[in-house]
Amino acid sequence: MATRHRSVHETKGRTKERLIHWHDFETPEPVSEAVIEAVSELKACDKNDLPPLSDRINRSALNSLFGGEGPQQPKINRGELTFTYDGVRVTVDAIGMIRVVGTDA
């Protein structure tokens, strides 16, 4: 079961909402699905309402780099990948943390 932590920060008149989702590499869920779940949770929408993740990033490459389609450890043991998806910044790292940060002016 994934652990999640949600927080809201206000800085210089901007509200930033952040969700931290811990992906368990021992589960069969690919990391790309965990990214979609985290973004849908932050945006409080159904994951089917989001645009295809593959329009933004190569899902197979993301899964291969950070865990694959089955229970396995990531191919990298250090590092992270940051990209934007549906207006939020997503960072996936080798320890299983998925950070999703949205900005509302």
Side-chain angles (χ1 to χ4, degrees):
M1 181 174 196
T3 304
R4 295 173 179 86
H5 172 73
R6 189 178 190 136
S7 61
V8 178
H9 301 280
E10 188 166 337
T11 307
K12 297 182 182 177
R14 295 181 71 106
T15 301
K16 286 188 178 183
E17 189 170 15
R18 176 175 35 183
L19 176 78
I20 297 175
H21 174 108
W22 287 95
H23 178 67
D24 181 359
F25 291 114
E26 297 298 319
T27 67
E29 177 186 52
V31 72
S32 61
E33 282 299 314
V35 166
I36 293 168
E37 283 181 26
V39 172
S40 70
E41 186 174 336
L42 180 81
K43 296 187 82 144
C45 69
D46 187 274
K47 65 182 184 177
N48 295 319
D49 293 335
L50 295 172
L53 181 60
S54 58
D55 286 353
R56 196 64 190 132
I57 193 165
N58 183 314
R59 284 181 71 150
S60 295
L62 179 65
N63 291 334
S64 178
L65 191 61
F66 293 102
E69 296 292 333
Q72 59 188 8
Q73 291 300 314
K75 289 188 177 181
I76 61 172
N77 60 9
R78 290 189 337 184
E80 63 185 31
L81 176 67
T82 300
F83 57 95
T84 57
Y85 171 53
D86 199 35
V88 299
R89 188 177 73 230
V90 177
T91 302
V92 181
D93 70 23
I95 62 170
M97 185 166 54
I98 301 169
R99 291 183 307 272
V100 183
V101 179
T103 303
D104 183 21

